[in-house]
Amino acid sequence: MNAELVIAIIVSIAAAATPILLAALGELVVEKSGVLNLGVEGMMLIGAVITVAVTLTTGNHLLAIVCAALAASLSSLIFGFLTLTLSANQVATGLALTILGTGFSALFGQPYTVKSVPIIRSPFPPELAADPIWRVIFGHPPLVYFALLMVVAVWWFLNRTRAGLIVRAVGENDLSAHSIGYPVIGVRYLAVMFGGAMAGIAGACFPLMLTPQWVERLTTGRGWIALALVVFAAWRPFRLLAGAYFFGFMMIFEIYAKSNSAFRVLPSEFWAALPYLATVLVLVLISLRREGRTSAPACLGKPFVATG
Amino acid sequence: MTSFNRRTMIKIGGAAAALPLLGSRAFAQEKLKVGFVLVGSPDDNGWNFGHDRGRKEMLEAIGEDKVETTVVTNVAEGPDSERVFRELAQQGHKLIYGTSFGFGDSMLKVAKQFPDVKFEWATGNVSAPNLSLYNAKFHEGRAVCGTVAGLMTKSNKLAYVGSIPIPEVRMGINAFAIAARKVNPNATVKVVYIDSWFDPAKEAEAARALIDQGIDVIAQHTDGPVIPQIAEERKIVGVFGQGSDMSAFAPTTHLTSIIDRWGPHYTKSVQSVLDGTWTESSVWDGIASGEVEIGPYNANVPADVVAAAEKVKADIASGALHPFAGPIKDNTGTERVAAGDVIDDGEYWAVDWYAEGVEA
Amino acid sequence: MQLRLEKRPEPSKVLRVVTPIGAVLLTMVLGAIIFTALGYDGVGAVREIFVSPLVNSYKWQDLAVKAAPLIIIAVGLAISYRANVWNIGAEGQYIVGAIAGTGIGILTNDMTGWWIMPAMMIAGAAGGAAYAAVPAFLKVRFSVNEILTTLMLSYASVYLLNYLLAGPYKSPTSMGQPQTALFSADQSLPYLIPGTIVQLNVPIAIVVALAVWLLFSRFVFGFQIRVVGAAPHAARYGGFSANRTVWMAMLISGGLAGFAGILEAMGPVGRLILQFPANYGFTAIIVAFLGRLHPLGAILAGIMIAITAVGGEMAQIGIKLPFAAVGIFQAMMLFLILASDVLVRYRVKAVRPGEVAA
């Protein structure tokens, strides 16, 4: 275990954690505004397939990511319209969105399946990005840096801006927020669309960073992990960063454990289950201290209907 | 109550429009209808792709005027598959292929209910008067790949990304390792199971982690070309295509591939149904009869390596070489197969150990 | 001109039944149009997915078999969700229930006796309940949100299944394949009508739904669940313990999911295999909501979902519709049913700007 291997592992962890972090950040904002959108996995798949389609057609990564964000955001509008304007049940609508995303992406992606997608490389010059030591800072694909920036941005937005305060107010007590004059439904729409855009970018991570192709169900459930991590993070952006990287660490650790004789005393399936069990364990440990607990936004999941 | 009336109108209109839809489907009368039940999607470039390609080859060989095929994809094993097999039988398919071990229970049940329909179960183990078994000796292909891997590796560290620890995967690993060590006694094979037949993100992570640990040749027993892509991205020495030629995904590192050629078998069996000569059988062919093919070698593979690999291939085809010929020791040092002995078809399924050099 | 939603004093009973039907019909029409525009046989797709399963009587058995586990799990989830306990991990409880029941089955595979099947069923329900007890305990004791724990545990349960099937549960006659032996005659659910595929689990599903409905509409506990779910603070004044409600919600939904699991294993599947997890735990969430969190609604919703699943297969076989298209139909149908729900609870009023809705 030398320094180069450790750095290689760190780079892998960052790559694994980033899509989960991005999707979870988006969902965090959505849930802060009081809405529960379980359609993250579906929106990620839409983002992934659009990314592949645009990259293969135009060769432009940035355009692909933007299109992915737009497409996913559009799909989240379906969810928004149903739950915010028509007050439909959020859990069921979110699940339906996941089904839609899975089916749409599979159908749309059919012409693109047998092709390799060029991966996106670090924005920094190769002397730094490829250097075995320095690449721990400079060698990550741009989406990794973007995700880290977004953590700060989301935290700052929610806690230091007036707009963020409105979002939180809408999520904690929508009736009071409404009586003050805040546009509850409008704020939630924006939050939902932001969540969709982030899920789309998260989906883009797969073909551009992890698995350079399109195939049905490419994201294999990582969207659900993102949902769980929002809860793990107690709706706090920095804790989410820690949670996403922790989970990424566990996933990479799983592979190393499986491939090293020292760990083989325990069966392969144990290591596969470990990331999930560890996440629960850590949350329990955090919750042992009373200060560690934070409850969900009070209006999470409940529809809002203006009474006046 | 205006809204209610409007809604009623829509409903009535819808129902009226729907009535003609209830017409029956036309059933094809003369062509033989053949059903293919796939556990995944042909997009995987692997297992399911191979079967679908075999189907197309069969259609070309026999002719679309005589035979018509139906492909059902992403069928989950269990009650869902039973329904699919039954629906195929009910819709007039007279020959139905189930391409996964897990379909067996369903196929046996449905076969009993439809004695005049012929079923064939890939990688199955129990037959019936109207249910045959077919399989391919992929491990023969692994032996050829192992030879190439052993000769090409520079770090002497090989790796194998497996799906689930079932006998077929285990024996593939063993064949690979035995062949590699025959030409390179210092080669080791690290094995990682991803506990799934399909998880591109996990396969990619596994490949990268293995490469970071010094592996320079990877073989896989999972569906999909992600691992060749990662191999190419990292520019390691080599990777092998699984189920099909995956060199499009790894132009410089893809050394060769094991290609599932189901076409010859499908053609034979469909023809036998057309001729009325189909009988209950168990087919387990390999390189010799063309079910397992070795893909083209990469230009980067030196001529002597190609020659060695081709010799192994030829010897297996002729019977001069058995991929599991003794002496074979397992990875704890115990001798499992004595010199002069082989692991035959029957013993194959009971092997629960790994060959020497395998870290699993 | 603005459309305003005005809450009805009471949800419209008529529309409650009518709107889902309308939504399905609308799905059929829209779906046919969209898919024809995309180049597929739109009308055929609609016919195969929605109509064929209902029109062909031999398909009714398939609907029953597919719907049964969904109904049982959804009934349990309905209780849980009414109490605001978000059990997302029913899939894991389903799997662990099947594992627990199968454990008994393996021990008794060579024995005979009428007691074997009930023993397996009880073990299945107990296993599911026990697996749900973990998130319940974590929530009550440490305030750990159950969305996370139930979801994570359901992933872990899949790996537990894989491990057991490759190891202690593996049948010696299975050629090394990770699966258990076939359940013996005493361990397999009997067929209701010989010649059909309808086994005991189908009527059991109906009985479960009816029993839960009776139990919850008649007894105080049912009232308790609803009150605690709706107004936890008020509930405490009434002496209803929120913690006890969490426990009961999780144990009941987990137990029912586990029960569904062992029934499925003893019935249509016939043994425990790697592919046993069929996402029923997640599909049941949709069924629960479509059924408006009511046990009887779960029956209808379960059948509806079963229709689209069975119909989807028929469409693949009959008109070669790609598998992905079925998902789109299902999503469309769900969206429309959920959207039409609004008409049940709210009245749409046209309001001129400046006018106050009367």
Side-chain angles (χ1 to χ4, degrees), chain C residues 67-82 90 208-209 212 252-253 256-257 260 280-303 305:
Chain C
L70 295 175
I71 293 173
I72 298 177
I73 303 176
V75 166
L77 290 180
I79 298 172
S80 183
Y81 294 159
R82 278 195 188 246
V208 164
V212 168
I252 292 177
S253 57
L256 281 173
Y280 288 155
F282 291 106
T283 311
I285 300 178
I286 302 178
V287 172
F289 277 106
L290 280 186
R292 308 197 197 300
L293 297 188
H294 190 289
L296 296 186
I299 299 179
L300 291 171
I303 295 176
I305 297 285

Side-chain angles (χ1 to χ4, degrees), chain B residues 7 11, chain C residues 15-28 337 340:
Chain B
R7 210 135 185 101
K11 270 186 5 305
Chain C
L15 285 186
R16 214 167 219 221
V17 175
V18 160
T19 49
I21 301 175
V24 173
L25 287 174
L26 192 59
T27 310
M28 290 163 71
I337 292 182
S340 69

Side-chain angles (χ1 to χ4, degrees), chain A residues 102-104 106-108 110 216, chain B residues 41-43 71-74, chain C residues 35 38-42 45 49 308 311-330:
Chain A
T102 311
F104 169 81
L107 212 55
F108 189 82
Q110 275 174 351
E216 280 182 39
Chain B
S41 158
D43 295 344
V71 184
V72 191
T73 62
N74 291 298
Chain C
F35 274 89
L38 287 177
Y40 297 100
D41 178 6
I49 296 178
T308 57
E313 283 156 13
M314 294 177 80
Q316 271 198 77
I317 296 174
I319 58 163
K320 324 248 192 275
L321 190 71
F323 175 76
V326 178
I328 298 186
F329 268 104
Q330 274 183 336

